[in-house]
Amino acid sequence: NAGVMQNPRHLVRRRGQEARLRCSPVKGHSHVYWYRQLPEEGLKFMVYLQKENIIDESGMPKERFSAEFPKEGPSILRIQQVVRGDSAAYFCASAGGAEAFFGQGTRLTVV
Amino acid sequence: GQQLNQSPQSMFIQEGEDVSMNCTSSSIFNTWLWYKQDPGEGPVLLIALYKAGELTSNGRLTAQFGITRKDSFLNISASIPSDVGIYFCAGQIGGSEKLVFGKGTKLTVNP
């Protein structure tokens, strides 16, 4: 994963709670992508961020989901009032140029 | 949205066989990347291609950036059981930094 750190690796939340997923990109990388993956399916683009800017959020659900990549600290994907359908693996990818490197993902389970 | 068609969707082969998969698009790409995802893990970058016509190898893997810049293929020679996984193509469309992903090719290798 070339140094892309995601935490937690596994997260269990009850319906209605909030989930916060963190991604620390490769040192020096200024771009982060977030993807969602259901079992046996491909990667679905959610959001593309540069430090302090959202470049493309066309894959983000209109409600309950938000993402940020502050000047200091990790990128955060936040899901409010989680529902069972939010259960999935969430991957971030860190890019400093034409190549992107993925973290190991956070597996969110909503019970 | 941008379309990136990856085929085949899945492949079942015998150990020792060669494998070929490809991605095509109606848009011109500046970069093609090939990733492999093992079960429960994040995608790992296998090969990156930057120029039309470029042919690059990584062990038993060979990938090419199509001359029209609208396609790329990945070949795996003499497959082994650990080649099992999902292979994704990705690329940057001309004029954009955003990575676009294919839906993946799921490879099963029978010993």
Side-chain angles (χ1 to χ4, degrees), chain B:
Chain B
Q2 295 101 5
Q3 286 284 333
L4 192 55
N5 301 307
Q6 185 170 352
S7 65
Q9 210 170 5
S10 60
M11 301 183 77
F12 298 83
I13 62 168
Q14 293 295 126
E15 184 176 357
E17 288 182 356
D18 296 343
V19 170
S20 185
M21 59 193 78
N22 68 84
C23 279
T24 60
S25 175
S26 56
S27 301
I28 289 175
F29 278 67
N30 286 338
T31 311
W32 283 100
L33 307 173
W34 284 93
Y35 291 84
K36 182 195 177 197
Q37 186 179 26
D38 290 326
E41 300 294 328
V44 173
L45 182 62
L46 298 173
I47 292 180
L49 302 158
Y50 300 102
K51 289 191 289 192
E54 182 180 352
L55 184 72
T56 297
S57 292
N58 178 5
R60 294 177 295 105
L61 276 59
T62 302
Q64 184 157 30
F65 194 141
I67 201 75
T68 64
R69 296 173 63 193
K70 293 182 179 182
D71 63 331
S72 177
F73 71 75
L74 175 71
N75 287 345
I76 306 172
S77 62
S79 58
I80 58 178
S82 62
D83 290 333
V84 163
I86 303 177
Y87 292 80
F88 293 98
C89 64
Q92 286 178 318
I93 292 176
S96 170
E97 288 182 321
K98 178 183 159 186
L99 268 181
V100 178
F101 274 82
K103 291 184 187 261
T105 295
K106 184 176 180 181
L107 179 63
T108 303
V109 179
N110 296 315

Side-chain angles (χ1 to χ4, degrees), chain A residues 2-3 6 14-15 29 36 46 55 65 68 73 81 89-90 92 95 98 102-103:
Chain A
Q6 284 190 253
R14 295 188 183 279
R15 279 179 294 170
H29 281 188
R36 172 185 157 119
M46 297 183 76
I55 300 176
F65 284 71
E68 62 176 7
Q81 298 175 313
Y90 293 84
C92 79
F102 281 83

Side-chain angles (χ1 to χ4, degrees), chain A residues 91-102:
Chain A
F91 291 96
C92 79
S94 160
E99 297 176 11
F101 300 94
F102 281 83

Side-chain angles (χ1 to χ4, degrees), chain A residues 32-47:
Chain A
V32 165
Y33 298 82
W34 283 94
Y35 291 88
R36 172 185 157 119
Q37 187 178 39
L38 293 171
E40 303 297 313
E41 293 192 9
L43 296 159
K44 186 181 175 201
F45 168 78
M46 297 183 76
V47 62

Side-chain angles (χ1 to χ4, degrees), chain A residues 76-87:
Chain A
I76 307 284
L77 178 67
R78 183 180 176 210
I79 311 172
Q80 295 178 288
Q81 298 175 313
V82 295
V83 300
R84 286 222 172 106
D86 296 332
S87 296

